[in-house]
Amino acid sequence: MALWAKAQQLQGEAFRQMQGVYGVHFPIEVRHYFANWIEEQPWANLDEENMQHERYARSTLEQLINMVISKTDDIGTDDNMFLVKLKLQESAQQFREMYGQNPLNLVRVIKNCLSTEMRLVQQLEGGEPAIGQMNGQPDGSRMIAQQFDILQKCTQETETDLKQLQHKQESFIIQYQDSLKINSQLQTLQNSAVLNKGDAEQKLKRQKEAVDLQLSQKAQDLLQLRLTLAEKHNETFKRLSTLQRKVLDNELIDWKRRQQLAGNGAPFDGSLEMLQQWCEALAELIWNNRQQIKKVELLRAQLPIDLPPNTQDLLPHLNTTITGLLSSLVTSTFIIEKQPPQVLKKDSRFASTVRLLVGGKLNVHMNPPQVKATIISEYQARSLLKNDKNLKSESCGEILNNTGSMEFTQSTGQLAVAFRNMQLKRIKRADRKGTEAVTEEKFSILFQSQFSVGGGELVFQVWTLSLPVIVTVHGNQECNALATALWDNQFAEPGREPFRVPDAILWSQLAEMLTCKFLSSTGGFLTQDNLYYLAQKIFGFLGDNYNQDFSAHKVTWSQFNKETLQGRNFTFWEWFYAVLKLTKEHLRGPWSDGSIMGFVSKIRAQEWLMSKPNGTFLLRFSDSEIGGVTIAWVANDPNNPSERQVWNLAPFTAKDFSIRGLADRIRDLNNLKYLYPEKPKEEAFEKYWTAMNDTENKLTRDGYVGSELVSRIPGMSTLPPQAEAPMNYDNPQTPQLMGPTSPAPSIYDTGPSSVQSYDAGNSAVDMEHEDSLLNMIGDYNPDDISQINVNELLYPGQSAN
């Protein structure tokens, strides 16, 4: 039987656990309608941390989206399936938005769903799932599940004991009433003048002694039951406290940390389903135990019994403990599911989602609470953590559309509010310290709410702070603002004071951050050679010791994004950001394929190329041109044919690639033959070439003949590739200009052996060909004007008079 068929047979809590792993990230409707296909995929062979599996994951994602879309088309206009059709349509769109940039996250989500199903099914069938089977739940999650089972049994046991205590106390009270009745009868008999009352009096006294003995024994039993129950509650609360710390201080904090690192590009599926399941289970256990404590208090009030000497009364402590656990759970589970953008441009719209993980279980949704968002400064955030009195009044700016009501989704049990159209209209900046730039100033979005539980018995004021936000007013501030956010995300320490970060970190830590950000943005890793080059750049090291270890070297914030690089007018981060942006927008494919060497010095590139045949080339990011990539190739020196030399094209930038892509430019340049070390350029770049226009010789809709831009190196022959260097120059260090009536000579930049290419339309007439055409026409004599007919020019179509 298929796994999904077995999963549908789950009952009670097991079914709710299975249902809880599905949600917006992977709707249960998709699981249902595509169960066979999902279970046939080789999930066990896919590693969601291995970027080499990304291509297969992307193919799987596209296949699933297409299947979902096809299913919605098959449903048609069936009224009974209308809601299902809407859900599937929404799912297809959400899959593309959520997993389009990182399809491996979908693999992680589906594997978690399947492993949860398998674990629950095997528990139903009486078997324990194998550890690690299908990348099942980690040991920590298993331990949490075991603790919940223990606590549920403990709570059921104390509930049974409480019922027994109540029953015995009621029995005691009834028997005590009998004792009072006997006392009354005895007293009445003793005060009466009835003759021969001695026998009756003795009988009542014997009855009273027997009842009093029974009452004494029952009182001892009641006292012992109360003490035992208090001890059991105490042990249960200790277990609850330990488990809650594990869920809130470990698992939830870990989720928040992963959410924070996701801002730097780290993998993060964002699913809160398991955490919500744990938090709701905690809420239910805490609430049930709190109700038990309240019932114990009521029983004590009905029948006070003094404790033995030197015996501690645990009840007040238990009451305080369980209420504190509930308060901590509620306030800690008011979280930001979707963070606002950390680089926030003034007057631009932004979104965020806030969620209360225990809202559904505690019936908070019965009176939906209002949530308000305000922006506060770093100083205000610090004050907030020390004193809650200013919670509602603190603000350093104005946000439009900053209030909303939490909404409850019945199918998922989620209580959340989505702010979709917030807009920062005003910001008040603090006085800057020393050389601090505006892009180093951190703010935070404060979300706050108030609601009651238990019919108004308990009132909670809850709040949560967003990750640090850097406010900009112009697009050119984005680079430096992002640097501040990345540094904060990566190096923030647990429990820090907002928003302090270390000023210096190890190079190995920075390298991890750069690798993560570059991978998420471009789809390709930074190799050890890449990182070594970056270390040399940031430390200003120009030596040729390629084995030097920089891992223990310290990098300061100033080195990262305040001090300019040696001999340049930009910082390390500004240079790296420009390279990242160029690669993301124009070079993602070739970079992911490994076709771009990228982070390599000019000297080392020259060493590599000189050991290869003429026509071998590589691509490296320019040291001097921010956001530029250059092509270096080896060829003979035309002034000294016996000598070979490495040449560097003037760097291409994003502006160049918006005109003609890198792959097409490489195709245009015939002297580039082999991508280093020895791959034919067609093999590396042909899949990125723009397809030739089959209708290039046909007129366009407006009657024009289309044209195409091609890249050429001035002075280089356009004949079949000869892997030659540019020709017809005297001094490669001297810039030369193209003359209007002669073939363009080479143009060089200020660096040694650097050549500039230019774009020429292939529909334009080549200058040498143009000269030959003019020679065929013959000479033009300006004195020969007898044949000029001006009227023909002024009045075309009319006959000459």
Side-chain angles (χ1 to χ4, degrees):
M1 185 184 295
L3 176 60
W4 181 240
K6 295 179 180 179
Q8 293 178 78
Q9 297 177 1
L10 296 172
Q11 301 292 328
E13 181 62 27
F15 182 81
R16 286 192 292 273
Q17 289 184 33
M18 183 272 293
Q19 190 179 29
V21 299
Y22 294 97
V24 176
H25 58 287
F26 195 73
I28 199 170
E29 291 86 352
V30 175
R31 175 68 175 103
H32 178 74
Y33 285 104
F34 307 99
N36 292 336
W37 178 88
I38 290 172
E39 294 176 30
E40 290 170 357
Q41 303 311 303
W43 305 113
N45 299 328
L46 292 176
D47 181 2
E48 56 270 33
E49 304 298 335
N50 188 345
M51 294 305 299
Q52 294 182 354
H53 293 174
E54 182 181 19
R55 183 168 297 178
Y56 185 86
R58 188 172 300 281
S59 173
T60 303
L61 170 63
E62 291 299 326
Q63 188 176 355
L64 178 59
I65 291 175
N66 291 335
M67 290 169 57
V68 172
I69 294 174
S70 177
K71 181 66 177 178
T72 60
D73 294 338
D74 293 342
I75 291 176
T77 58
D78 187 349
D79 291 341
N80 296 328
M81 300 289 288
F82 177 71
L83 294 179
V84 173
K85 181 177 181 179
L86 289 181
K87 185 65 178 179
L88 292 178
Q89 288 174 337
E90 181 182 347
S91 300
Q93 180 65 26
Q94 287 174 340
F95 284 163
R96 199 174 297 280
E97 294 175 355
M98 296 175 66
Y99 306 118
Q101 293 296 321
N102 193 345
L104 287 172
N105 278 339
L106 176 67
V107 175
R108 180 181 292 103
V109 168
I110 294 180
K111 288 172 72 171
N112 177 61
C113 293
L114 294 178
S115 64
T116 301
E117 289 179 13
M118 180 171 291
R119 173 176 59 83
L120 294 172
V121 167
Q122 289 180 340
Q123 288 177 354
L124 176 67
E125 296 175 346
E128 287 296 324
I131 295 177
Q133 186 171 12
M134 288 191 68
N135 276 356
Q137 288 186 332
D139 291 341
S141 299
R142 294 176 185 273
M143 292 177 62
I144 289 175
Q146 291 170 0
Q147 288 300 312
F148 273 119
D149 290 339
I150 293 173
L151 281 166
Q152 287 171 352
K153 291 177 181 178
C154 290
T155 302
Q156 291 171 358
E157 183 178 339
T158 51
E159 181 67 27
T160 301
D161 290 349
L162 181 59
K163 289 179 179 178
Q164 183 182 3
L165 174 62
Q166 181 178 2
H167 174 72
K168 288 194 172 185
Q169 181 165 314
E170 289 172 351
S171 175
F172 177 87
I173 292 174
I174 291 173
Q175 196 161 5
Y176 190 81
Q177 293 295 327
D178 292 339
S179 175
L180 292 177
K181 182 178 179 181
I182 293 174
N183 279 337
S184 177
Q185 291 175 347
L186 182 60
Q187 186 175 6
T188 301
L189 181 63
Q190 290 174 344
N191 295 331
S192 67
V194 178
L195 298 176
N196 301 323
K197 60 182 179 180
D199 292 341
E201 186 176 345
Q202 290 298 321
K203 181 179 179 181
L204 287 174
K205 286 182 178 180
R206 286 194 298 271
Q207 289 179 355
K208 182 178 183 306
E209 290 174 359
V211 170
D212 288 347
L213 182 62
Q214 292 177 359
L215 286 174
S216 178
Q217 184 61 46
K218 287 187 175 182
Q220 288 292 332
D221 291 345
L222 283 174
L223 179 59
Q224 190 58 45
L225 275 175
R226 288 183 179 183
L227 293 174
T228 302
L229 184 59
E231 288 291 343
K232 287 184 177 181
H233 274 133
N234 195 37
E235 289 300 316
T236 299
F237 292 3
K238 287 180 180 179
R239 286 183 176 273
L240 264 174
S241 180
T242 301
L243 181 56
Q244 181 160 302
R245 282 197 304 271
K246 182 169 182 57
V247 171
L248 299 183
D249 297 345
N250 294 349
E251 300 295 334
L252 183 56
I253 294 299
D254 178 66
W255 182 90
K256 290 182 178 180
R257 176 59 177 159
R258 287 186 284 113
Q259 183 191 51
Q260 185 177 31
L261 291 176
N264 289 7
F268 179 60
D269 59 19
S271 173
L272 282 165
E273 307 314 312
M274 183 58 72
L275 272 170
Q276 175 164 322
Q277 181 180 330
W278 288 339
C279 291
E280 287 183 337
L282 280 170
E284 185 173 10
L285 285 168
I286 291 173
W287 189 259
N288 289 339
N289 277 276
R290 186 173 183 273
Q291 293 302 106
Q292 290 181 15
I293 294 299
K294 291 175 64 178
K295 190 173 292 185
V296 169
E297 288 181 330
L298 180 61
L299 291 175
R300 281 199 180 191
Q302 290 176 345
L303 185 63
I305 302 178
D306 293 336
L307 297 178
N310 301 321
T311 302
Q312 180 184 2
D313 186 3
L314 295 176
L315 189 61
H317 167 71
L318 293 175
N319 197 348
T320 302
T321 300
I322 199 67
T323 303
L325 286 174
L326 181 61
S327 177
S328 175
L329 179 65
V330 171
T331 54
S332 297
T333 54
F334 184 70
I335 63 173
I336 302 174
E337 182 177 12
K338 179 184 177 182
Q339 290 282 343
Q342 288 189 262
V343 178
L344 181 58
K345 189 176 180 183
K346 184 174 172 288
D347 293 325
S348 63
R349 293 184 179 181
F350 65 98
S352 185
T353 301
V354 178
R355 184 165 159 185
L356 182 62
L357 297 180
V358 296
K361 184 61 67 174
L362 296 178
N363 292 325
V364 177
H365 60 283
M366 300 303 290
N367 185 19
Q370 290 280 317
V371 180
K372 181 180 179 182
T374 54
I375 188 166
I376 62 175
S377 68
E378 183 174 344
Y379 172 78
Q380 290 168 336
R382 291 176 190 168
S383 301
L384 179 63
L385 292 180
K386 297 176 182 178
N387 187 351
D388 286 355
K389 291 182 179 179
N390 297 325
L391 177 65
K392 295 183 178 180
S393 59
E394 293 289 349
S395 176
C396 66
E398 179 187 358
I399 299 177
L400 299 182
N401 305 317
N402 66 330
T403 59
S405 296
M406 303 194 84
E407 298 179 356
F408 182 69
T409 304
Q410 188 70 40
S411 59
T412 61
Q414 295 178 10
L415 183 67
V417 55
F419 295 91
R420 296 185 177 88
N421 293 296
M422 288 191 289
Q423 188 177 31
L424 180 62
K425 293 299 294 180
R426 182 179 59 84
I427 190 69
K428 181 181 179 181
R429 297 189 181 275
D431 295 333
R432 293 196 294 276
K433 305 172 185 177
T435 60
E436 184 182 60
V438 293
T439 53
E440 296 177 75
E441 185 177 6
K442 301 173 188 176
F443 300 88
S444 181
I445 307 298
L446 168 66
F447 296 94
Q448 54 186 321
S449 183
Q450 178 175 309
F451 52 83
S452 62
V453 298
E457 178 189 358
L458 297 173
V459 178
F460 294 101
Q461 284 190 346
V462 295
W463 57 269
T464 186
L465 289 174
S466 74
L467 292 174
V469 168
I470 297 86
V471 176
T472 65
V473 296
H474 195 279
N476 60 14
Q477 295 175 315
E478 180 180 355
C479 170
N480 293 317
L482 182 59
T484 301
L486 293 176
W487 188 278
D488 190 280
N489 289 342
Q490 193 74 22
F491 308 121
E493 297 173 350
R496 65 167 176 176
E497 186 179 66
F499 293 105
R500 297 192 186 279
V501 286
D503 184 64
I505 43 88
L506 295 176
W507 162 251
S508 57
Q509 295 174 292
L510 182 61
E512 181 182 354
M513 183 191 83
L514 297 177
T515 299
C516 182
K517 185 62 178 176
F518 209 84
L519 173 62
S520 66
S521 298
T522 67
F525 285 94
L526 294 179
T527 65
Q528 288 302 313
D529 284 339
N530 297 154
L531 293 173
Y532 183 82
Y533 168 82
L534 292 172
Q536 285 185 312
K537 180 173 285 291
I538 199 169
F539 291 121
F541 178 76
L542 302 177
D544 57 359
N545 179 10
Y546 300 128
N547 296 319
Q548 184 171 354
D549 184 11
F550 291 101
S551 59
H553 283 52
K554 288 274 191 175
V555 181
T556 66
W557 165 252
S558 293
Q559 284 176 294
F560 180 66
N561 194 41
K562 290 184 76 71
E563 301 170 4
T564 58
L565 293 173
Q566 186 175 353
R568 309 297 179 196
N569 61 352
F570 43 79
T571 66
F572 171 84
W573 167 252
E574 288 170 342
W575 177 86
F576 183 85
Y577 174 79
V579 166
L580 181 147
K581 197 167 186 292
L582 177 75
T583 307
K584 177 182 178 181
E585 295 176 357
H586 299 284
L587 309 176
R588 184 182 179 96
W591 172 262
S592 299
D593 296 341
S595 298
I596 298 177
M597 193 74 66
F599 300 101
V600 60
S601 67
K602 182 181 289 188
I603 295 175
R604 198 169 191 189
Q606 182 172 339
E607 293 175 357
W608 288 344
L609 289 173
M610 288 299 290
S611 65
K612 296 299 178 181
N614 284 359
T616 304
F617 68 97
L618 59 78
L619 295 101
R620 48 175 292 272
F621 298 122
S622 172
D623 291 307
S624 58
E625 180 77 20
I626 189 168
V629 62
T630 184
I631 301 175
W633 80 99
V634 62
N636 288 334
D637 186 339
N639 287 338
N640 190 356
S642 62
E643 296 291 334
R644 301 168 71 238
Q645 190 170 344
V646 173
W647 305 90
N648 296 273
L649 275 179
F652 297 114
T653 63
K655 182 178 179 180
D656 298 311
F657 292 139
S658 65
I659 299 172
R660 187 162 178 80
L662 173 68
D664 288 334
R665 291 176 182 272
I666 291 175
R667 176 176 59 177
D668 296 340
L669 303 176
N670 292 328
N671 59 335
L672 306 182
K673 297 175 64 176
Y674 303 103
L675 178 66
Y676 180 88
E678 53 188 14
K679 180 184 289 188
K681 72 175 182 180
E682 293 80 7
E683 183 180 337
F685 295 100
E686 186 174 15
K687 61 182 176 181
Y688 301 111
W689 290 351
T690 302
M692 299 299 292
N693 189 357
D694 295 333
T695 61
E696 59 183 7
N697 294 324
K698 297 181 180 179
L699 295 178
T700 66
R701 181 185 304 173
D702 298 327
Y704 294 105
V705 177
S707 64
E708 183 182 64
L709 294 174
V710 296
S711 293
R712 290 182 55 196
I713 300 175
M716 187 187 77
S717 172
T718 58
L719 294 174
Q722 301 297 329
E724 297 176 348
M727 307 298 292
N728 299 327
Y729 58 85
D730 296 322
N731 184 352
Q733 303 298 327
T734 305
Q736 302 178 34
L737 300 177
M738 290 186 295
T741 59
S742 62
S746 301
I747 297 179
Y748 302 89
D749 68 5
T750 56
S753 304
S754 298
V755 208
Q756 178 158 352
S757 66
Y758 74 96
D759 296 316
N762 66 353
S763 62
V765 181
D766 183 77
M767 297 197 73
E768 294 182 3
H769 183 54
E770 182 180 1
D771 289 341
S772 63
L773 289 176
L774 291 175
N775 291 332
M776 293 173 59
I777 296 173
D779 295 335
Y780 167 66
N781 184 357
D783 295 329
D784 185 10
I785 62 174
S786 60
Q787 301 299 321
I788 296 179
N789 188 343
V790 178
N791 289 328
E792 185 179 49
L793 298 174
L794 293 174
Y795 312 106
Q798 296 184 10
S799 302
N801 294 329

